[in-house]
Each structure stands twice: as structure tokens, then as C-alpha cells.
Amino acid sequence: AQTVTQSQPEMSVQEAETVTLSCTYDTSESNYYLFWYKQPPSRQMILVIRQEAYKQQNATENRFSVNFQKAAKSFSLKISDSQLGDTAMYFCAFTQGAQKLVFGQGTRLTINP
Amino acid sequence: DTGVSQNPRHKITKRGQNVTFRCDPISEHNRLYWYRQTLGQGPEFLTYFQNEAQLEKSRLLSDRFSAERPKGSFSTLEIQRTEQGDSAMYLCASSPGLSDRYFFGPGTRLTVT
């Protein structure tokens, strides 16, 4: 079965701190794509960062970076210099080719001033 | 590029009524997905289209649910004889061919009373 597990239902940090959100997944495929999506309160889902499983180099997008451990099937998201606008639900997801996304349960992240 | 749009944004209906939602994908995106998201959970896949062909349906999609994508452009999701358990956010996403990039709409929030 294809599953995604986010073990932290909620997290809270102070502005400017660094925070890491955890994600593990299960798939028998060797080639797939991993994503972190952000869903602010009452707003639509937007892509934060994506990683191609065949690439060993961890993806980075400005303050956002991932730690991709393929053998461990782990895909954590690090947010550096956190900002108030980072407050949102964060979903880890993966897909195999042009197929459906499989999402985790989400982590509610609150950035406090 | 005007993004993925969904209408209506909110729908309140009484149990037993039929409802229909519409999704307009980004033009020329040949893949279109429907997901359902209940409060505090990650989105769950319902069905997806490549052009006008419905290629996969989740077992979550009971026979009360039907989706169409005539002419491979906009899509509709109909729920017949709504039940309180159908209350959720219904998300639409589109993707260009052979891409792992998914663009989400704002969703339609359904409340069944």
C-alpha cells in the first residue's frame, strides 16, 4: 500500500527560528516524486518544494529545504528563518509518474511573533 | 494563466438533495484530479481524467458520485442523495501532460445538513 505518515500533528515555533517537519512514506517503486504542500487557513494548496526520487541532491527553495533519505523512505522539510506567513497546514505527498498524489495527514505549523 | 477555478466556493444542502460542482482547469492541462478533504485531514484521491477519459476512480467514489469531463476541458462532480458524511472540501487539481506539477483550485466546501 502507498502511504504517507506525518508524525507531528502540530508544531509551534517563534518567528525567525528553524523548524523541521517529518514525513515517512511507503512505496515499492524506485522512481517517484515527493512534495511538500502548504495550505494556509481558508486558502488553497500551494507547492512548497518537490524532489525527484532518482536525484540524490536534496532540493532547496529559498528558506525551504528537504532532507531526503531514500533508503529510510524519509522526506523531512526544514524551514529556516521562519516567518509569520509560514503559518499553515503542511502536507507531505508523493506520486508515481502522472498519477494521483497520496497525502499525509498534515502538520499544523504555527509561527509565533 | 488564471489558475484552477472551482464553483461554487460554498454549498449548503439538505440531506437527500443532489449537488454538482464545477472545476475549470488551467487551459491546455490535459490531466484533472478530484480530491476530498475532511476537516483536519489530508486530501484523499477520488478520480482523475486524462483529457475526457476517466482513467481511475477511488473506492471512496460510491455509486452516488459521478464525474465527467466533456471535451477534455472543465469537469463536473455530482453527488446524488447527499449524506451528512459527504460534508467536506472538494478539491480540483490540474496538471500538464507528462509533468509532475499539480495546480490546485480553492475548493468547494460542502455542508450537508
Side-chain angles (χ1 to χ4, degrees):
Chain A
Q2 300 174 359
T3 59
V4 178
T5 301
Q6 294 179 247
S7 59
Q8 305 148 313
E10 294 189 27
M11 295 189 73
S12 178
V13 298
Q14 296 299 119
E15 193 175 7
E17 289 184 346
T18 294
V19 59
T20 299
L21 279 58
S22 302
C23 172
T24 58
Y25 59 92
D26 186 24
T27 179
S28 57
E29 299 295 323
S30 58
N31 192 24
Y32 46 89
Y33 302 88
L34 293 155
F35 306 83
W36 278 97
Y37 280 90
K38 170 184 177 180
Q39 190 176 40
S42 301
R43 295 182 61 186
Q44 66 197 78
M45 193 91 69
I46 56 175
L47 178 65
V48 175
I49 197 166
R50 58 186 277 277
Q51 171 85 39
E52 297 167 35
Y54 64 85
K55 289 188 176 179
Q56 293 184 343
Q57 186 173 6
N58 289 324
T60 61
E61 288 286 345
N62 301 315
R63 298 182 296 108
F64 299 89
S65 62
V66 298
N67 183 2
F68 174 46
Q69 302 289 328
K70 190 171 184 178
K73 296 181 181 175
S74 171
F75 184 61
S76 61
L77 173 70
K78 185 171 83 171
I79 305 174
S80 303
D81 185 27
S82 57
Q83 300 175 359
L84 297 178
D86 295 333
T87 292
M89 282 290 287
Y90 286 81
F91 293 99
C92 178
F94 85 98
T95 185
Q96 296 171 190
Q99 302 296 328
K100 60 182 181 285
L101 286 161
V102 178
F103 287 89
Q105 309 94 312
T107 295
R108 183 178 304 280
L109 175 65
T110 302
I111 309 299
N112 299 306
Chain B
D1 180 356
T2 57
V4 179
S5 62
Q6 293 186 245
N7 289 287
R9 295 291 306 278
H10 303 275
K11 179 71 177 179
I12 300 173
T13 191
K14 293 186 177 180
R15 185 165 52 94
Q17 298 294 303
N18 298 344
V19 293
T20 300
F21 311 140
R22 176 176 171 130
C23 171
D24 287 87
I26 294 171
S27 62
E28 299 183 355
H29 278 195
N30 63 346
R31 284 183 283 132
L32 186 148
Y33 302 79
W34 285 99
Y35 293 85
R36 182 171 69 188
Q37 184 179 24
T38 53
L39 201 61
Q41 299 296 314
E44 296 175 295
F45 170 78
L46 292 179
T47 188
Y48 103 92
F49 294 83
Q50 182 158 317
N51 299 313
E52 66 274 12
Q54 188 173 20
L55 296 188
E56 186 175 350
K57 290 167 45 174
S58 165
R59 58 182 170 79
L60 292 175
L61 215 65
S62 75
D63 57 5
R64 297 185 298 106
F65 288 70
S66 63
E68 294 183 340
R69 194 184 181 196
K71 302 178 183 178
S73 55
F74 71 92
S75 176
T76 58
L77 178 67
E78 180 183 16
I79 309 174
Q80 296 182 330
R81 305 181 303 281
T82 52
E83 302 173 355
Q84 287 189 323
D86 297 331
S87 294
M89 177 75 85
Y90 290 83
L91 298 171
C92 176
S94 70
S95 180
L98 301 180
S99 166
D100 61 320
R101 309 237 177 217
Y102 303 82
F103 298 81
F104 282 83
T108 294
R109 182 170 297 283
L110 173 66
T111 303
V112 182
T113 62

